Amino acid sequence: MIRVALLSRWHVHADDYAREASEHPSIQLTTVWDEDPARGKRWADELNVDFENSLEFILARDDVDAVIVDTPTSMHKEVIIAAAKAKKHIFSEKVLALTEKDCEDIFSAVEEHNVSLMLSLPRLNDPTYLYAENAVQDGLLGDVTSIRCRLEHGGALATKSHPNGWLPTHFFNKEQCGGGALIDLGAHPIYLTNRFGGQAVSVYAEMNAFTNRAVDDHSTVIVRYASGATATIEAGFIASKSPFILELHGTKGSILVEERTLRIQSTELEEEGWITPDLPEQAASAMDQWVEEILTGTKPRITKEDMRVLTRINEAAIASSKTAKRVSLNSEAHASV
C-alpha cells in the first residue's frame, strides 16, 4: 500500500486526483498540507484524514510514501524537490515547472534520490491518440507535414451563476500560474503535437487577453519541427462550445479527431474516402502508471521528455509573444530570439 499525502487544493483538478487516489486499491490517503492552511484544514476534514500545517513536517512523516502536488505552478520546483529529497514519490498536475532549467533541477533531485515522478498528461492515454500514434508509426499518413490541435472552454466568460467566469480567480494570477490559457489548457495540445512533430526548432506565439485579464485567455502558437512539419496550437478560456480538435496531415493521408471521434483517410488503406476505425482501449491513467512504477519498476508511457519539452514550448511561446518574433530553439534546448 502506498501512503499518500495531498499537497494543496489550489488546482481545479486537486479534488479529481484525491478521488482517484482514494478509490485506488494500492493507495491510502493519510494527510493533507496546503499553503493556505484554512483551505487545507477544510479539505482534510472532508476526507477524514490528518492535516499538517508544515510542509517540512509532512514530508518527514513515516506514514507518507508519496505526494500528490497541486500547489500553484510557481511553487512546483520548491515543493517537488523538497519531496524528492525526503524520498517521497511525486505525482503532479501539469506543467512541471515554469522554465526548462527548473525542470532539469527537478529531474536531478528525482534521480539522485531514486523516486518516481509522474505528471498528469491524460490525453496521451486516450484511444484517439493511441490510434493516431500507431497510424503515424505504421506509415498510414506517410510523412507528417502539418498538425493542428485546439482545446478551449469558456472558463473566463461571465455567466449568470459565475459573473467572473467559472475558473477560480487565482487561475488568472500570473505570478502563481506563470501564464494563462496556454500554460494551463494549452498544455494538452502542446504535449500531443510534441509527440507527433518530433524535435521542435522554432516557435511563434500570439497571446491575447480578450477579457482584459493579466494573463492570456486565448493563444495561438506555430511550431516548426526539424522534419519540416509545422503545428498550429490553439488554446483558450473564451469559447464555451468549442470542441477538442486534432488534425494530422501527411503525404499519404489525414486523421481528423473531434472530441472522442476519429476519422482517417489514407492511400495505404484499401477503403476509399473517410473511414471511422475501431479504436484501442483506453491506456492506463497517469496515476495507474505512477503506482505501477513505484510497485514494480515498470517504465511509464508518460516520460520526462514529455514533461521537459512541454515547458520548453511554453517558455519559448512566452518569449515570442513578448518580442513579437519567432524564437529559435538551439541544440541545448534553450530559447533564443
Side-chain angles (χ1 to χ4, degrees), residues 10-264:
W10 177 87
H11 201 278
V12 293
H13 292 313
D15 285 349
D16 298 328
Y17 299 134
R19 180 166 50 253
E20 184 178 1
S22 67
E23 295 172 354
H24 199 288
S26 297
I27 293 177
Q28 177 188 358
L29 295 180
T30 60
T31 185
V32 165
W33 168 86
D34 199 304
E35 73 278 3
D36 179 342
R39 180 177 62 195
K41 181 63 168 63
R42 289 193 301 270
W43 200 21
D45 290 343
E46 291 173 22
L47 297 171
N48 195 29
V49 299
D50 291 346
F51 172 72
E52 181 59 69
N53 197 46
S54 164
L55 179 63
E56 180 182 0
F57 289 167
I58 200 171
L59 293 178
R61 286 178 59 141
D62 292 335
D63 63 347
V64 173
D65 305 309
V67 296
I68 296 175
V69 178
D70 280 302
T71 65
T73 309
S74 58
M75 295 180 65
H76 276 194
K77 179 181 178 180
E78 170 193 353
V79 171
I80 292 174
I81 289 178
K85 289 181 176 179
K87 298 190 181 301
K88 311 301 183 186
H89 302 289
I90 303 135
F91 181 101
S92 181
E93 174 58 272
K94 46 72 180 159
V95 296
L96 181 62
L98 298 181
T99 69
E100 191 171 358
K101 173 61 167 61
D102 287 349
C103 290
E104 296 295 349
D105 291 343
I106 288 170
F107 296 150
S108 294
V110 165
E111 291 161 9
E112 178 182 353
H113 298 284
N114 194 31
V115 294
S116 173
L117 171 67
M118 176 53 63
L119 198 65
S120 181
L121 307 179
R123 289 184 180 269
L124 291 179
N125 311 314
D126 189 85
T128 56
Y129 167 76
L130 299 174
Y131 179 90
E133 179 183 52
N134 289 333
V136 170
Q137 291 175 353
D138 292 343
L140 296 185
L141 303 190
D143 295 325
V144 174
T145 56
S146 64
I147 307 163
R148 179 193 176 209
C149 196
R150 172 182 173 84
L151 185 60
E152 186 159 6
H153 58 54
L157 298 176
T159 65
K160 290 182 179 179
S161 57
H162 296 90
N164 294 314
W166 57 258
L167 280 172
T169 302
H170 58 249
F171 261 54
F172 305 102
N173 184 310
K174 187 175 183 179
E175 182 178 345
Q176 293 183 21
C177 301
L182 185 67
I183 202 168
D184 178 63
L185 204 58
H188 303 289
I190 291 172
Y191 65 70
L192 288 171
T193 56
N194 283 340
R195 282 285 189 102
F196 291 119
Q199 181 185 352
V201 296
S202 70
V203 173
Y204 179 79
E206 287 282 356
M207 294 184 171
N208 301 315
F210 184 82
T211 57
N212 297 314
R213 258 68 171 214
V215 297
D216 61 294
D217 53 25
H218 185 276
S219 289
T220 303
V221 179
I222 298 174
V223 183
R224 188 174 68 190
Y225 298 94
S227 66
T230 56
T232 303
I233 294 166
E234 300 170 273
F237 295 153
I238 55 173
S240 296
K241 303 299 181 183
S242 177
F244 169 74
I245 298 290
L246 172 64
E247 300 179 14
L248 300 171
H249 303 284
T251 55
K252 294 183 179 180
S254 295
I255 285 176
L256 302 180
V257 176
E258 183 173 340
E259 296 294 358
R260 306 295 179 183
T261 300
L262 180 148
R263 295 184 294 152
I264 183 172

Side-chain angles (χ1 to χ4, degrees), residues 265-334:
Q265 185 169 213
S266 170
T267 59
E268 297 296 294
L269 296 174
E270 294 182 2
E271 298 91 335
E272 293 289 337
W274 292 103
I275 65 169
T276 302
D278 292 332
L279 299 180
E281 295 293 322
Q282 176 86 22
S285 72
M287 191 167 293
D288 283 334
Q289 293 178 52
W290 182 54
V291 168
E292 194 65 20
E293 182 180 33
I294 293 170
L295 296 180
T296 71
T298 301
K299 186 177 180 180
R301 295 185 65 258
I302 297 170
T303 69
K304 289 185 176 68
E305 188 65 10
D306 291 318
M307 305 176 197
R308 175 189 292 110
V309 183
L310 170 56
T311 290
R312 180 185 303 166
I313 300 299
N314 266 298
E315 195 173 4
I318 292 169
S320 173
S321 179
K322 287 179 178 178
T323 61
K325 294 180 180 179
R326 182 166 60 91
V327 170
S328 296
L329 303 174
N330 65 27
S331 59
E332 303 199 347
H334 297 297

